[in-house]
Amino acid sequence: MDFRRQVVERWPARWPVQPFREPAWARQEPTYRECSPALIDAAVKRADARPAGNWFVAGASRDIRRDKPFGFRVGGRELVAWRGADREPVIGPGACPHLGAPLGDARVHCGELVCRWHGMRIGPERPGWSPFPAYDDGVLVWVRLDRFGGERPTDRPVVPPRPSGGVAIDAVATLTGTCEPEDVVANRLDPWHGAWFHPYSFTRLRVVSAPRGTDVADADDRFVVEVTFRLAGKLGVPVIAEFTCPEPRTVLMTIIEGEGAGSVVETHATPLGDGADGRPRTSVIEATIATSDRPGFGKAARIAPMLRPLMRRASARLWRDDLAYAERRYALRTGRA
């Protein structure tokens, strides 16, 4: 018996980090037979049929500040966000009602924006400038755009279930791709590509169950996956995770068994509008909210500001690849390949 095999056999099963064996990349078990395009398309259509109440993710809560405006777009509309004197987010049109100056370049003074072109003050009570409903869930800020959304409006967005109680660390990564939200959702509802497309992060991936057919109850509309998150060399963290869609532009991954059970990754797709080339742009805003009942996690939470950049970097690395997937899907779907 070689030394490595002895180590693997004697490794304590209760430890969260486990050694693993894996075949060479090209010798993995192919997953294309299970990954039915019709199955993914049906899951995307079911997600698209769910109500969103005209709410769209604007950005991370930490990006909406009291001292600096945050300029962004949704559906081709220029918007601006900041925190008022009561620290609540204020979101409205991004053009000054005077001569159209970009309010994303304004300054915040006493809870109001001051336009840099002519000094006009902008706030919730400004005639000719009306804010949109906004909601801060503690991790992300949402804006409600009724004319663009076209649905029956709701008082608050569909915020996915998050870790309750205990200690949690959250980080938000944002990237932009040439595609539509449905292409981002389709990518996340294809767990079979994980170990093939992201071998630097995932190994030993197996889809345990997937929704079949078109008439699927909400409780059964989920993908359950066994996967090992690679750490270094042949060490990783095995977990069981599920993927669900609480609303049309959100895919929620929840760890249901293993280390960090209850931790979630929320992938939100916000349509930005068309770029200069006439093709749509979509912002992928991904919130990772990690939790653990291990005593050491509480100590790690104390250095959360140091951990967040690492968490954002991990999300961004995956999405640089996954946006290529989503963009390719959009190009093929629309005949623009």
Side-chain angles (χ1 to χ4, degrees), residues 23-313:
W25 180 83
R27 295 185 180 277
Q28 297 181 90
E29 187 67 28
T31 56
Y32 68 89
R33 296 182 184 89
E34 301 174 56
C35 182
S36 164
L39 186 155
I40 296 173
D41 289 344
V44 172
K45 289 179 181 177
R46 288 194 300 272
D48 191 55
R50 296 189 174 103
N54 302 328
W55 289 94
F56 301 83
V57 173
S61 294
R62 292 183 185 86
D63 290 339
I64 313 302
R65 296 160 46 179
R66 296 181 66 193
D67 61 340
K68 184 179 181 181
F70 177 77
F72 65 105
R73 287 180 176 270
V74 176
R77 181 157 196 170
E78 184 181 17
L79 301 171
V80 66
W82 76 99
R83 293 191 184 273
D86 58 0
R87 297 181 180 272
E88 292 298 316
V90 181
I91 302 179
C96 179
H98 175 222
L99 284 177
L103 293 178
D105 295 335
R107 295 184 181 177
V108 182
H109 180 258
C110 295
E112 295 183 319
L113 293 186
V114 180
C115 179
R116 292 184 63 191
W117 280 17
H118 301 93
M120 176 177 278
R121 299 186 74 90
I122 305 293
E125 307 300 325
R126 178 76 201 185
W129 190 94
S130 299
F132 299 111
Y135 185 85
D136 186 348
D137 65 28
V139 177
L140 301 169
V141 169
W142 306 65
V143 60
R144 198 182 82 195
L145 301 174
D146 293 337
R147 185 175 298 180
F148 178 60
E151 300 180 25
R152 177 179 295 179
T154 57
D155 291 337
R156 55 177 290 172
V158 181
V159 179
R162 291 175 176 164
S164 58
V167 180
I169 303 174
D170 65 90
V172 180
T174 302
L175 293 88
T176 300
T178 303
C179 59
E180 294 178 323
E182 73 166 82
D183 303 299
V184 172
V185 172
N187 169 272
R188 293 296 278 168
L189 295 182
D190 167 18
W192 291 277
H193 78 272
W196 285 101
F197 206 36
H198 308 293
Y200 48 82
S201 292
F202 307 118
T203 187
R204 300 178 64 83
L205 187 151
R206 182 174 72 91
V207 177
V208 178
S209 66
R212 303 287 175 177
T214 55
D215 187 14
V216 179
D218 286 348
D220 299 324
D221 200 359
R222 62 178 193 153
F223 295 76
V224 179
V225 178
E226 288 182 348
V227 64
T228 294
F229 291 96
R230 187 190 296 272
L231 294 180
K234 298 297 183 179
L235 293 176
V237 179
V239 301
I240 298 179
E242 71 171 12
F243 294 79
T244 58
C245 287
E247 57 111 77
R249 293 176 291 275
T250 299
V251 180
L252 174 68
M253 188 206 78
T254 305
I255 296 178
I256 57 177
E257 289 186 30
E259 179 64 18
S263 299
V264 300
V265 177
E266 301 174 11
T267 303
H268 302 273
T270 297
L272 304 183
D274 290 346
D277 58 2
R279 299 189 179 193
R281 300 295 192 272
T282 293
S283 181
V284 177
I285 304 172
E286 186 160 274
T288 302
I289 307 169
T291 187
S292 174
D293 58 3
R294 293 184 181 274
F297 188 81
K299 297 179 181 178
R302 298 173 189 170
I303 58 169
M306 298 174 61
L307 296 177
R308 287 192 183 102
L310 300 177
M311 295 167 68
R312 286 195 296 267
R313 188 180 305 167

